[in-house]
Amino acid sequence: MKKSKLSLAALSVASVLSSIPIANAAIIDEVEFHGYFRAGFFASKENDFKKADIGGQKEQLGRLGLESDNDGNFGFTTITNINDDQQLRIHIGVGDTEFDDLIGYLEMDGVLPSGTLWGGKRKLAEENYVFMTDFFYTDLEGIGAGVHDYEIGDGFLDIAYISSERENSDSFDDYDDFAEAGYNSTLYQNLYTRGFYSDSQKAQIKSNLNNPMHTLHASYTLGAMTLHANYKYLPNNWDLVGKPWADTGYDATAIYHMLNFFGLEGNAFSYAILQAGKGLGSGNLLGGTITAYSATRPGSLTQGYKITTPNYNSFSGDPHYLLTHRNEDATSARAILWGGYTNSDGIGFFPSIQAQYNDEGKNDWDNSSGSHNYWVSAMMRNIFPVKDNFIVQTEVGYYENVQSGGHWHQSKITVAPTFVLSDGLSTAEIRFTATYLPISWTTGVEGNRDIPQTDDFVFGIQADAYW
């Protein structure tokens, strides 16, 4: 009797696998469990102590007392030593990703002359992060593969391919609703109400909203300096009415890490960061792939509104929808200085100063002209030890936005008595926060004279831990 094609295929695979040297009945040598969560309740004085939403831009003002959104993630890593030269690490977890709840990737040591081969769904360069503002100035996340810490000369090279996707627009099934709601442009509305597009053309436009962005990433670390570069390609990067945006883009980041506070020696560290990009490497995508976080972090002032307001419909100001709306010649530059210093009395000072400039470029499809916008921000967190396991944290912040000749700003002051317990690797805090916002998102609508933003006090209780 002849063997089936399926049986022959199975035998072929088994034959290939049997030729690969593996450890029989390999035993997992170690399991690691990592995670993070924050959970709390915040109340607004100006709203009769009802539950308070996010009161301001935490990446510019500082996160303390503003993070009313609960969050968390956790993951497991199994470590298996195959032999003296090879190790397999399997990472799997559940967390706050924009793709779905499950994240997982593999790391293999010993299969290349040096470095680690990886593949799967993950976030890269998570260490490029200002902890006081929750600002990832690189945000590289997606599905792909790469090599980490490959030795070249006296430094280490990382290379990777990452695929990331836009949030699909299933909520815009009815294109007539899209036109009637308005896109802040009579031209766009007329394209639909006058039947400019056929049903098949509309279907083609919508199908392209789910195209992936391909990112090629490389970085090289030599001593205190790390250089990053990303090249991005997004085929048929159209919006809901078929307007073409940039198909390509690139960005570069230089990070200089000092083991002092900008020259001040002691218990200190500091970073100087410069970033620049063009096309899909500009605006909110500067240093990042398509993620929910990239959409709402500070970037270009033209790319949506960070809070839901009555002024804007669900998509014309939606930062997730607008994330890839970059012109081919749009350019951006960002600079960050941040660090920390703790004196002999245990008092800590942690400042961050940052700014971004954006040239929006031009788009020939609707003859839209270029514009410029920029923002600058500064914040400081102080930590004052009171007694064992009890500290008082304070945080002040200010930012200024400038766009189309107009400008607006926001500031905050936070005081947070905190109980903390830490072993150096894991830390847990219980905080009681009081925040004063002279102009608060909790009280009105930015730019709306009928519903003006006023000051507010926001009080909170929050538990925060990472391990």
Side-chain angles (χ1 to χ4, degrees):
M1 182 174 65
K2 293 183 178 180
K3 295 183 182 290
S4 69
K5 291 182 179 179
L6 181 60
S7 298
L8 289 172
L11 286 171
S12 298
V13 172
S15 176
V16 172
L17 291 176
S18 66
S19 67
I20 299 175
I22 60 174
N24 293 325
I27 297 174
I28 294 174
D29 296 287
E30 187 177 351
V31 177
E32 296 180 353
F33 177 47
H34 305 279
Y36 166 79
F37 86 89
R38 65 172 181 268
F41 177 80
F42 292 77
S44 163
K45 176 181 179 297
E46 293 302 309
N47 292 286
D48 296 326
F49 294 98
K50 297 174 183 177
K51 182 178 180 180
D53 292 324
I54 296 172
Q57 185 77 47
K58 65 178 181 179
E59 291 90 355
Q60 294 174 313
L61 298 175
R63 67 195 297 183
L64 195 64
L66 289 182
E67 286 186 309
S68 61
D69 56 323
N70 298 327
D71 193 14
N73 60 77
F74 66 85
F76 295 90
T77 301
T78 63
I79 302 172
T80 303
N81 296 309
I82 306 301
N83 53 47
D84 291 340
D85 300 318
Q86 294 183 319
Q87 186 181 84
L88 171 65
R89 295 183 296 280
I90 301 174
H91 305 261
I92 190 166
V94 175
D96 48 354
T97 75
E98 68 283 359
F99 303 106
D100 50 43
D101 287 335
L102 184 64
I103 55 176
Y105 62 97
L106 309 176
E107 290 184 305
M108 299 179 181
D109 289 345
V111 299
L112 298 173
S114 71
T116 298
L117 177 68
W118 68 268
K121 183 189 297 184
R122 69 175 300 182
K123 184 171 183 175
L124 296 179
E126 290 183 272
E127 67 275 9
N128 298 334
Y129 172 67
V130 183
F131 76 88
M132 307 92 68
T133 60
D134 198 34
F135 189 20
F136 289 90
Y137 48 89
T138 66
D139 186 41
L140 302 166
E141 187 173 346
I143 300 174
V147 178
H148 177 63
D149 278 351
Y150 193 93
E151 292 187 42
I152 295 183
D154 294 328
F156 297 90
L157 174 70
D158 290 2
I159 56 173
Y161 163 79
I162 304 170
S163 173
S164 57
E165 297 180 1
R166 293 183 284 188
E167 293 189 357
N168 66 47
S169 298
D170 291 337
S171 59
F172 308 124
D173 287 331
D174 191 333
Y175 281 78
D176 292 331
D177 288 347
F178 169 74
E180 290 172 4
Y183 188 79
N184 295 333
S185 169
T186 302
L187 169 63
Y188 290 169
Q189 295 179 47
N190 288 342
L191 290 175
Y192 279 94
T193 57
R194 297 179 181 177
F196 185 86
Y197 290 121
S198 67
D199 289 341
S200 62
Q201 287 173 317
K202 293 177 184 179
Q204 182 183 13
I205 289 170
K206 186 174 181 182
S207 69
N208 280 295
L209 297 177
N210 296 321
N211 292 341
M213 185 171 78
H214 308 279
T215 300
L216 297 177
H217 167 75
S219 70
Y220 186 70
T221 299
L222 180 62
M225 177 68 76
T226 300
L227 301 176
H228 288 255
N230 300 299
Y231 177 80
K232 307 166 188 180
Y233 172 61
L234 174 54
N236 294 332
N237 180 16
W238 301 345
D239 64 15
L240 279 168
V241 295
K243 178 179 179 178
W245 297 92
D247 285 342
T248 61
Y250 54 86
D251 59 63
T253 299
I255 305 166
Y256 187 62
H257 180 200
M258 295 160 277
L259 298 179
N260 54 63
F261 185 72
F262 301 106
L264 179 62
E265 300 291 341
N267 185 4
F269 68 93
S270 56
Y271 290 85
I273 300 105
L274 289 176
Q275 298 179 277
K278 185 175 182 180
L280 288 173
S282 67
N284 284 49
L285 283 173
L286 176 58
T289 56
I290 300 174
T291 72
Y293 179 84
S294 286
T296 55
R297 68 176 175 171
S300 171
L301 303 178
T302 67
Q303 288 186 271
Y305 305 92
K306 311 312 178 186
I307 54 174
T308 301
T309 72
N311 253 7
Y312 311 105
N313 60 50
S314 61
F315 49 85
S316 67
D318 181 358
H320 304 281
Y321 170 60
L322 298 175
L323 178 58
T324 61
H325 293 191
R326 306 302 298 158
N327 290 316
E328 290 284 358
D329 60 344
T331 56
S332 296
R334 180 189 296 146
I336 303 173
L337 296 172
W338 80 281
Y341 178 80
T342 303
N343 68 18
S344 58
D345 295 322
I347 299 175
F349 305 86
F350 300 90
S352 179
I353 301 171
Q354 50 200 18
Q356 181 164 332
Y357 174 83
N358 305 288
D359 182 337
E360 299 301 313
K362 297 183 179 181
N363 193 294
D364 295 332
W365 189 82
D366 60 0
N367 296 317
S368 59
S369 59
S371 60
H372 307 268
N373 62 80
Y374 65 88
W375 55 266
V376 294
S377 72
M379 59 78 58
M380 167 80 81
R381 180 182 295 190
N382 291 338
I383 297 177
F384 302 96
V386 178
K387 58 184 299 185
D388 292 344
N389 307 118
F390 181 69
I391 60 176
V392 173
Q393 302 183 78
T394 64
E395 202 168 77
V396 295
Y398 178 87
Y399 71 78
E400 185 86 14
N401 292 335
V402 178
Q403 179 184 6
S404 302
H407 64 90
W408 61 97
H409 66 270
Q410 193 177 30
S411 59
K412 76 140 195 181
I413 301 172
T414 297
V415 178
T418 303
F419 292 91
V420 58
L421 200 59
S422 175
D423 64 1
L425 297 176
S426 302
T427 298
E429 295 187 8
I430 298 175
R431 297 186 284 260
F432 302 87
T433 66
T435 299
Y436 173 60
L437 293 153
I439 301 175
S440 177
W441 289 356
T442 60
T443 59
V445 179
E446 186 176 80
N448 189 324
R449 295 181 180 179
D450 297 325
I451 315 176
Q453 291 175 328
T454 60
D455 65 340
D456 197 4
F457 283 93
V458 176
F459 301 93
I461 300 172
Q462 189 177 47
D464 184 301
Y466 64 85
W467 63 93

